Amino acid sequence: MSVYLSQAELRDAVRSDLPAIVEIYNASIASRSANAELRPVTIAQREPWFEAHTPDKHPLWVAIVDDQVVGWIGLSPFLPRAAYHITAELSVYVAPGKQGHGLGTWMLEKLLAECPRLGIENVVSLVFAHNYASLRMNEKAGFERWGYLPQVTELDTVRRDVVILGRKIVTQ
């Protein structure tokens, strides 16, 4: 474990973390490789999303280093239909300047270990095909390619592909 990770704490996100969560999310927009937003989102826009997370089924965690939120990870319902309750969609974001220390991988490993307790049997991650760092992180954590969506997004007039990655969780 790196010195940086040895200082990190992972805990449930609280309402006062939302500004930092939104700031980290918004910082990823300019790269056009981490999410499909074209403009920054507001805290108010993310409040319903934040409230939809629950520690017992779809947690939202923040990584803290030196009393600062430096990353976040969460599970959201994969689709709203009831039969999908055993499957969740993954989101992982690390603050600029804090990337490359293994923080995303560390958060992902911790979250995957909690999936049996949460009743989650499948975790799905949708990643832009040109986001090599996220693809590597997911594959390193045991995710496999479950699908490919060619040119389903348009970012600044450029069509981009999305890779659907998934991992089965052992629940025994």
Side-chain angles (χ1 to χ4, degrees), residues 9-14 16-17 60-64 69:
E9 168 195 354
L10 197 58
R11 64 163 171 76
D12 287 320
V14 295
S16 61
D17 295 323
L60 178 62
W61 295 342
V62 291
I64 308 293
V69 175

Side-chain angles (χ1 to χ4, degrees), residues 45-107:
Q45 288 172 318
R46 294 302 275 183
E47 284 175 347
W49 167 86
F50 180 85
E51 296 300 329
H53 287 86
T54 59
D56 62 327
K57 183 65 176 179
H58 297 108
L60 178 62
W61 295 342
V62 291
I64 308 293
V65 174
D66 296 328
D67 296 320
Q68 299 291 317
V69 175
V70 295
W72 60 269
I73 188 167
L75 292 177
S76 299
F78 174 59
L79 288 169
R81 294 173 203 88
Y84 288 108
H85 70 95
I86 61 171
T87 303
E89 183 178 348
L90 170 70
S91 296
V92 182
Y93 287 85
V94 176
K98 306 299 183 189
Q99 298 166 357
H101 296 280
L103 187 62
T105 299
W106 175 76
M107 291 189 297

Side-chain angles (χ1 to χ4, degrees), residues 24-167:
I24 292 167
Y25 183 77
N26 282 340
S28 72
I29 295 171
S31 73
R32 298 296 196 248
S33 66
N35 67 53
E37 298 288 351
L38 299 175
R39 287 177 289 288
V41 299
T42 66
I43 293 168
Q45 288 172 318
R46 294 302 275 183
E47 284 175 347
W49 167 86
F50 180 85
E51 296 300 329
H53 287 86
T54 59
D56 62 327
K57 183 65 176 179
H58 297 108
L60 178 62
W61 295 342
V62 291
I64 308 293
V65 174
D66 296 328
D67 296 320
Q68 299 291 317
V69 175
V70 295
W72 60 269
I73 188 167
L75 292 177
S76 299
F78 174 59
L79 288 169
R81 294 173 203 88
Y84 288 108
H85 70 95
I86 61 171
T87 303
E89 183 178 348
L90 170 70
S91 296
V92 182
Y93 287 85
V94 176
K98 306 299 183 189
Q99 298 166 357
H101 296 280
L103 187 62
T105 299
W106 175 76
M107 291 189 297
L108 181 53
E109 289 170 356
K110 300 272 188 194
L111 186 67
L112 291 172
E114 289 297 308
C115 284
R117 177 185 65 79
L118 300 168
I120 300 297
E121 297 178 19
N122 306 286
V123 179
V124 175
S125 181
L126 280 69
V127 179
F128 283 123
H130 63 283
N131 186 341
Y132 302 117
S134 288
L135 291 170
R136 276 192 307 275
M137 179 187 70
N138 280 276
E139 289 167 356
K140 188 168 141 182
F143 283 72
E144 299 172 330
R145 185 171 164 165
W146 286 1
Y148 192 79
L149 304 171
Q151 299 184 3
V152 295
T153 62
E154 182 181 17
L155 300 168
D156 303 324
T157 72
V158 178
R159 302 282 199 267
R160 294 293 189 173
D161 305 337
V162 173
V163 178
I164 302 169
L165 299 165
R167 178 170 160 181

